Amino acid sequence: MPDFPADFFAAQLRAAAVKVTRPRLRVLACLGRAAKALTHAELEEQFAAEAAGTLDRVTLYRVLDSLLDCGLAQRTLDARGVYRFELNSVRAAHAAHAHFHCQHCGGVTCLEQMAMPAACLPAGFVARQIEVEVRGLCAGCAGGGR
Amino acid sequence: MPDFPADFFAAQLRAAAVKVTRPRLRVLACLGRAAKALTHAELEEQFAAEAAGTLDRVTLYRVLDSLLDCGLAQRTLDARGVYRFELNSVRAAHAAHAHFHCQHCGGVTCLEQMAMPAACLPAGFVARQIEVEVRGLCAGCAGGGR
DNA sequence: GGCTTTGTTGCAACAAAGTTGCATTTGCTG
DNA sequence: CAGCAAATGCAACTTTGTTGCAACAAAGCC
């Protein structure tokens, strides 16, 4: 995860013609610090632990929406059907390789060595990202469990 | 979509050592009839329209769970993060090719001509299915909108 | 710097999707 | 056909996400 300079996020917000507010900066900082994409609930927890105090549920949803709108963050669904939010810059690195999803323990493993297919689309279609997910059993669950 | 013989589903349930009940048969018949994977809400609607009368929300959830357990159905998340249920036999055909997901209109297109990658896993991992999703803009949205 | 405007925040209430507990009914087995 | 375990239906609840609205604050203007 890259380390972000102090005023980095504020500059990004200004560049996107979006107001620079404390909640937005807090969310960006938190997402920048996180190793993984976070759910709304996880973000809320983080803020509750911070000295700056809790952040309203709805505000958090709306902040995240605004970050999606201006292209700073992206949203994906996890295995439970819950949205996870991630800085776009961080996400780009993860889109580049396949992921393994264990159907038993739910764990996710990066498959960096696996070849990604080339997009082969009908005329007029534009590809922005390709996601490959392999499902099955991880070493731990295949050996012992189920 | 294949056409299922009269007693087909009952036989499948018996084979899976699961009790043959009216709700389960209704759900299987409905899924067998459907062209696409259905959500819980869509199934409920279908049943409300049927002469046999409505099916309890919770019962429907539990019936679907039991069908997942015994391997007759599968569950995936749609773009909204809602579960969609599908007969396993129908689904197998769809897992074999990549899908295109339009980020603008939300439409899904089958990419039958696109090559699927081979799974390349760490030792001990077992692959059961590979899913490839290309995201971007479909012909309609790339041309006109956004 | 103070003022205005417009977008943002926080609160309350709501909606959709899914889960849990429990009493009753139903399918299967002997 | 009697008994039992499993399945059903009902009510209540949890989690996740959304909408409406009044109070507030950031950015621009004088």
Side-chain angles (χ1 to χ4, degrees):
Chain A
M1 61 204 119
D3 210 7
F4 299 100
D7 212 31
F8 180 72
F9 293 126
Q12 289 223 302
L13 288 173
R14 262 184 284 268
V18 170
K19 285 193 182 169
V20 179
T21 64
R22 235 161 71 76
R24 288 215 248 253
L25 290 175
R26 289 180 73 190
V27 171
L28 285 169
C30 196
L31 288 177
R33 222 181 302 123
K36 272 282 161 201
L38 300 176
T39 63
H40 175 275
E42 285 165 353
L43 281 163
E44 225 183 344
E45 250 176 76
Q46 295 276 319
F47 290 132
E50 279 181 16
T54 193
L55 190 58
D56 182 69
R57 259 166 49 73
V58 178
T59 300
L60 179 50
Y61 274 114
R62 289 200 266 229
V63 164
L64 289 168
D65 268 354
S66 71
L67 297 182
L68 296 181
D69 265 8
C70 72
L72 287 186
Q74 277 214 15
R75 184 170 83 162
T76 39
L77 286 167
D78 74 359
R80 274 188 319 154
V82 177
Y83 287 127
R84 291 190 169 268
F85 300 85
E86 196 169 14
L87 290 189
N88 224 329
S89 42
V90 174
R91 176 175 174 76
H94 258 266
H97 57 259
H99 291 91
F100 181 89
H101 187 98
C102 180
Q103 293 177 317
H104 188 236
C105 69
V108 174
T109 308
C110 296
L111 302 174
E112 325 231 4
Q113 75 279 26
M114 187 170 154
M116 296 288 283
C120 174
L121 304 174
F125 280 57
V126 178
R128 282 186 178 161
Q129 49 182 252
I130 302 186
E131 197 152 300
V132 176
E133 188 178 300
V134 182
R135 269 174 254 173
L137 300 177
C138 71
C141 296
R146 187 151 221 168
Chain B
M1 61 202 122
D3 210 6
F4 300 100
D7 211 30
F8 180 72
F9 293 126
Q12 290 223 301
L13 289 173
R14 261 184 285 269
V18 169
K19 286 190 182 171
V20 179
T21 64
R22 238 162 72 75
R24 289 215 246 254
L25 289 175
R26 288 180 73 188
V27 170
L28 285 168
C30 197
L31 288 177
R33 222 182 301 124
K36 271 283 161 203
L38 300 177
T39 63
H40 175 275
E42 285 165 353
L43 281 162
E44 225 183 344
E45 251 176 76
Q46 295 276 319
F47 291 131
E50 281 182 16
T54 193
L55 190 57
D56 182 67
R57 261 167 49 72
V58 178
T59 300
L60 180 49
Y61 274 115
R62 290 201 265 230
V63 164
L64 290 167
D65 268 355
S66 71
L67 296 182
L68 296 181
D69 265 8
C70 73
L72 287 185
Q74 277 216 12
R75 182 170 85 160
T76 39
L77 286 166
D78 73 359
R80 274 186 318 155
V82 176
Y83 287 127
R84 290 190 169 268
F85 299 86
E86 195 169 16
L87 291 190
N88 222 331
S89 43
V90 175
R91 175 175 174 79
H94 258 265
H97 57 259
H99 290 92
F100 182 89
H101 187 98
C102 180
Q103 292 177 317
H104 189 235
C105 69
V108 174
T109 310
C110 296
L111 301 174
E112 324 230 5
Q113 75 280 24
M114 187 170 153
M116 297 288 283
C120 173
L121 303 175
F125 281 58
V126 178
R128 282 186 177 159
Q129 49 181 252
I130 302 186
E131 197 151 299
V132 176
E133 188 178 299
V134 182
R135 271 173 251 173
L137 300 176
C138 70
C141 297
R146 187 150 219 170

